[in-house]
Amino acid sequence: MESHFVDHMGSGDVLPMEPKLPELSLKEYRNEHRLEPLQKDLKLPKQKNIVEALDEFWKNSEHCDFLVRIGEYTFPCQRLVLMAYIDSLRNNPDVFDLKLPEDLVSPDIFITLYRWMTDKDILIKRSEIIQLLSVANHLKIEELLHQIWTCLNSDEFCEHGAYQVAEEVLHFKELKELHCPLLMRIQGFFLTFVSSKEFLQLEPESLCFMLSSNEIAVNSESEVFYAAIRWLNHNWPFRLKHVTEVLEKVRLLRMPKKLVKLLESPRGEYQVDRVTQLAEVKKSLEEISFAQILMQHNDGTSLFGEISEIFHVTVPQARKFICHDLSPYHHSDPNVPGRVFSYSDFLNYLALLQTLPPDTLPQLLRRT
């Protein structure tokens, strides 16, 4: 039977019936014409790195799931970001908010801290460094503590800057123990610091720590002795009770023998005499004078060593050496005890240092 199809295009032609076509799958084609299944795995290129995607997500502060509270302020945060740095949160995954003490963490410092957590590179203001150190210490963020201390210990962080930081940490109860270690950064800056009002205002503990340091740079131990005299005189007689503990930090055995001998008697400089003429100080000077005479006969034998032990004579370590050509009494040989000079000479040199840039002596020390 013949089928008739109407040509809707208007031609009116009749089309023949289409031949019957077997329904074959591509896999059923004969021989080499058969479509073989794919054997090779396909590699799909990933458009985004998950870490970069999360980083972008966190920076946009989308869908925050944690609240940090500081007084009346609240800060929406990403909990996973905080957990990455704060052990206490990582150990308590069910906690979704954190209250920080207002007296320790200011809102501005927390913003800086969170920015440090989410940004790869962040510039910290000098005025924020100690507050950030305090927060990192409170939250026990070891990585941040390490980074801050690396900056504070770098050569780029100047010695007078180290003193300023040492002064600032005294205002933070949790950081007071860092005060003395920061003072250890002072080397060539020591004599310039001695010329300042801040030196006179040091607490006895801080002064003793500084005077006991091997790092301070002087031309001779006499400068350390006169620095102690300057501090003691600033608030005399209230500092009279500190004379013994302060002078114990001065390495009197390394002072010029002639000066030690002269100090046993009044020299006419009342600031020095009222210290050296104290009974306990006179006794110490006499013992040092005897020890210096004994050391003159050091022949390196075991017999001399035994004699030294009997009289408890031990030569203390020398300080770092510095020579400033503008000083009227500095000498250029670190292997000699130094010239004898007066307390007035010392004060005149300090007056000169007050007119020079604070990094004058540190730069001089780095060149030696």
Side-chain angles (χ1 to χ4, degrees):
M1 182 176 177
E2 198 175 80
S3 297
H4 295 274
F5 293 90
V6 178
D7 181 1
H8 295 286
M9 299 299 293
S11 65
D13 294 338
V14 177
L15 298 177
M17 179 182 291
E18 179 182 313
K20 183 175 177 61
L21 183 67
E23 295 186 358
L24 284 180
S25 166
L26 289 171
K27 297 178 182 179
E28 297 173 339
Y29 283 18
R30 295 180 180 179
N31 304 324
E32 68 273 9
H33 304 300
R34 184 182 296 115
L35 186 66
E36 297 292 337
L38 288 174
Q39 301 297 327
K40 187 176 181 181
D41 296 334
L42 299 179
K43 183 177 181 180
L44 299 178
K46 191 172 180 62
Q47 299 300 313
K48 277 190 175 182
N49 179 288
I50 185 61
V51 176
E52 294 176 355
L54 285 173
D55 184 51
E56 182 180 346
F57 177 78
W58 287 335
K59 284 179 181 178
N60 293 332
S61 297
E62 297 176 356
H63 309 294
C64 294
D65 56 356
F66 195 95
L67 280 182
V68 172
R69 307 178 191 276
I70 304 174
E72 60 182 8
Y73 297 93
T74 57
F75 298 91
C77 303
Q78 295 290 345
R79 188 164 65 102
L80 282 176
V81 173
L82 297 176
M83 290 177 70
Y85 293 100
I86 303 174
D87 286 345
S88 60
L89 296 183
R90 192 156 55 245
N91 296 331
N92 295 278
D94 296 330
V95 174
F96 288 87
D97 68 337
L98 175 66
K99 186 175 182 179
L100 297 177
E102 294 179 77
D103 59 338
L104 185 64
V105 186
S106 70
D108 289 342
I109 287 301
F110 179 76
I111 292 173
T112 301
L113 173 66
Y114 194 68
R115 197 153 45 89
W116 172 83
M117 291 179 177
T118 54
D119 289 357
K120 292 181 180 179
D121 299 304
I122 175 172
L123 184 65
I124 304 298
K125 295 179 181 178
R126 163 64 189 85
S127 58
E128 294 179 335
I129 195 72
I130 295 306
Q131 295 181 66
L132 195 60
L133 180 64
S134 177
V135 176
N137 188 63
H138 176 72
L139 295 175
K140 296 179 172 51
I141 305 176
E142 296 299 329
E143 183 177 350
L144 180 55
L145 285 171
H146 175 73
Q147 288 183 8
I148 293 175
W149 275 110
T150 298
C151 292
L152 294 178
N153 288 325
S154 69
D155 291 336
E156 296 179 1
F157 195 75
C158 59
E159 293 183 33
H160 55 276
Y163 163 71
Q164 292 174 349
V165 173
E167 187 68 18
E168 288 175 22
V169 298
L170 292 176
H171 301 292
F172 296 84
K173 182 175 64 175
E174 294 187 352
L175 298 180
K176 284 186 177 180
E177 69 274 10
L178 303 179
H179 174 71
C180 288
L182 281 166
L183 289 180
M184 286 293 289
R185 293 277 290 129
I186 294 178
Q187 299 181 20
F189 181 62
F190 174 70
L191 291 173
T192 301
F193 180 54
V194 172
S195 72
S196 71
K197 180 180 179 180
E198 286 78 6
F199 173 78
L200 299 175
Q201 295 173 338
L202 280 177
E203 292 296 320
E205 179 186 359
S206 300
L207 175 78
C208 289
F209 188 88
M210 182 176 291
L211 297 187
S212 65
S213 171
N214 294 327
E215 301 303 310
I216 57 176
V218 292
N219 190 252
S220 73
E221 191 67 21
S222 303
E223 289 181 315
V224 182
F225 172 74
Y226 284 139
I229 295 294
R230 173 168 159 76
W231 184 88
L232 290 168
N233 273 275
H234 177 67
N235 199 11
W236 193 272
F238 295 102
R239 289 181 174 176
L240 173 60
K241 61 185 177 183
H242 297 295
V243 167
T244 301
E245 63 177 308
V246 169
L247 291 186
E248 280 179 350
K249 307 305 178 185
V250 180
R251 301 170 186 183
L252 297 173
L253 191 57
R254 284 199 165 271
M255 287 173 55
K257 294 187 290 293
K258 183 178 179 181
L259 179 58
V260 172
K261 198 65 181 175
L262 288 171
L263 291 174
E264 292 181 31
S265 304
R267 299 197 62 198
E269 294 183 306
Y270 71 93
Q271 303 100 323
V272 179
D273 291 342
R274 65 183 176 189
V275 175
T276 59
Q277 296 311 298
L278 293 170
E280 64 270 27
V281 178
K282 283 179 65 71
K283 181 181 178 183
S284 294
L285 290 171
E286 291 170 359
E287 292 173 351
I288 291 297
S289 184
F290 171 77
Q292 287 179 329
I293 294 173
L294 183 65
M295 293 304 297
Q296 281 183 304
H297 302 283
N298 184 359
D299 56 3
T301 62
S302 58
L303 177 60
F304 179 84
E306 293 174 6
I307 295 174
S308 298
E309 289 183 11
I310 292 172
F311 291 100
H312 306 290
V313 176
T314 303
V315 180
Q317 182 177 334
R319 317 277 189 175
K320 289 185 179 295
F321 181 79
I322 197 168
C323 180
H324 189 195
D325 57 0
L326 295 183
S327 169
Y329 59 80
H330 275 190
H331 64 98
S332 58
D333 188 353
N335 298 314
V336 300
R339 297 169 182 157
V340 173
F341 57 95
S342 67
Y343 183 59
S344 296
D345 294 331
F346 179 67
L347 293 182
N348 290 335
Y349 177 52
L350 295 187
L352 171 65
L353 291 177
Q354 289 177 341
T355 68
L356 301 176
D359 61 344
T360 297
L361 294 183
Q363 286 187 0
L364 192 62
L365 179 64
R366 285 195 289 270
R367 290 198 295 266
T368 58

